[in-house]
Amino acid sequence: MNARSSGLVLEMRRVFPAPASVVFTALTDANQLAQWFGPHGYTVSGVSFRARVGDRYRIEVQPPDGDA
């Protein structure tokens, strides 16, 4: 961890039936992330992030009925 870290770490390990470049883009491109992120029936109403270690991010999800 670096000096900016709060001590929280997210580590995910998954195997996807797709080339690594396709998976990387799906996780790091805001437009692609918005297409698949969130529970079924929800939509992503806003994504703000840069895929850089230590940066902040915001993903706003809209349920079918109700506020984001």
Side-chain angles (χ1 to χ4, degrees):
M1 289 186 229
N2 61 35
R4 291 175 45 185
S5 176
S6 66
L8 298 175
V9 175
L10 171 64
E11 181 177 328
M12 296 174 19
R13 294 176 188 239
R14 301 286 185 270
V15 176
F16 296 100
S21 62
V22 171
V23 175
F24 182 81
T25 301
L27 294 169
T28 59
D29 178 87
N31 292 327
Q32 287 198 28
L33 183 76
Q35 292 177 18
W36 64 264
F37 191 87
H40 180 71
Y42 286 56
T43 57
V44 173
S45 54
V47 178
S48 175
F49 79 98
R50 292 184 317 164
R52 299 183 194 261
V53 173
D55 265 0
R56 295 176 184 254
Y57 65 92
R58 179 179 173 86
I59 303 172
E60 186 174 270
V61 180
Q62 176 73 43
D65 298 318
D67 297 330

